[in-house]
Amino acid sequence: LHIGRFERTKGVETLVKAFIKLSRIYNNIKLINVGEARGPSLKKCMKWIEKEGLSRNVQFTGFVKYEELPTYYAAADVVVVPSEIYESFSYTVAQGMACGKPVIASKIGGIPETVNHGNSGILFRPGSIEDLSEKIKLLYNNSEKIRIIGEKARSFCRNNFSMEILQPKYLAFYQSILK
């Protein structure tokens, strides 16, 4: 599952190339893209997908309301966040983890602090088709590993990003500014 803008800086070309590579090994692999699909990266990726005969294995949902996102997370085995630009905090990473899904994400910006590599998610080198493919292979068809990492992801998210944890920290910070 990929959620976000479908553009080069979000790593979608890397994701699609990794997907194509993996589809040569796993003929039942699926890629779901949630978000507005448009622009040069979409045209490029669609050519690659069609050339490989994978159109039936790739879904573009278009824009999805925030309230409907948990349905997509629930249906996914793995959430992939292949960003190739700095992100201070990835909501997609946190949302996937909160939904109990293992997240495979780029080691860039603030994402490593969100993922907790090796425990509640897996990091890969930004832009590396090979590294992303290898990380997806680690989880593919391993429902027990997906379950364990997903449980750890949900727990990590609850223990680090929940309102109960963050509210006192934010309140203390704002109060210190007012003094």
Side-chain angles (χ1 to χ4, degrees):
L1 175 67
H2 171 261
I3 295 183
R5 295 185 314 274
F6 200 86
E7 57 188 48
R8 189 189 58 74
T9 59
K10 289 295 195 172
V12 295
E13 293 177 20
T14 300
L15 175 60
V16 169
K17 286 179 181 177
F19 170 77
I20 289 169
K21 181 178 180 162
L22 291 168
S23 72
R24 294 177 182 140
I25 301 166
Y26 309 110
N27 63 359
N28 61 342
I29 194 169
K30 304 274 189 249
L31 174 60
I32 301 169
N33 296 283
V34 174
E36 196 61 42
R38 62 175 188 260
S41 284
L42 175 64
K43 290 177 185 173
K44 198 182 288 186
C45 290
M46 288 306 294
K47 272 188 195 175
W48 299 335
I49 290 165
E50 289 168 7
K51 181 182 176 195
E52 296 293 328
L54 294 170
S55 296
R56 283 190 247 167
N57 297 54
V58 180
Q59 177 185 357
F60 291 92
T61 67
F63 176 79
V64 170
K65 291 180 183 176
Y66 181 78
E67 303 81 40
E68 296 172 18
L69 288 177
T71 303
Y72 289 91
Y73 285 114
D77 293 319
V78 175
V79 176
V80 181
V81 182
S83 293
E84 294 178 16
I85 58 169
Y86 181 91
E87 294 190 37
S88 58
F89 181 85
S90 172
Y91 286 102
T92 305
V93 169
Q95 288 169 346
M97 291 169 58
C99 289
K101 299 298 173 177
V103 174
I104 300 173
S106 297
K107 186 177 184 177
I108 194 167
I111 292 175
E113 294 172 35
T114 310
V115 169
N116 190 16
H117 177 64
N119 190 28
S120 58
I122 300 171
L123 296 171
F124 75 97
R125 288 184 315 279
S128 175
I129 297 160
E130 194 62 40
D131 197 22
L132 176 56
S133 299
E134 288 303 314
K135 298 309 192 281
I136 293 171
K137 278 186 202 176
L138 288 173
L139 298 178
Y140 196 82
N141 283 336
N142 191 336
S143 57
E144 183 62 12
K145 192 169 213 153
I146 288 171
R147 184 190 65 75
I148 290 167
I149 293 173
E151 286 176 2
K152 289 179 180 180
R154 182 156 169 74
S155 177
F156 183 80
C157 201
R158 185 177 38 248
N159 294 332
N160 291 278
F161 308 126
S162 68
M163 186 63 83
E164 295 79 21
I165 298 299
L166 292 179
Q167 185 180 24
K169 291 178 182 181
Y170 282 127
L171 187 58
F173 173 74
Y174 288 123
Q175 286 174 338
S176 74
I177 292 174
L178 293 173
K179 289 182 182 181

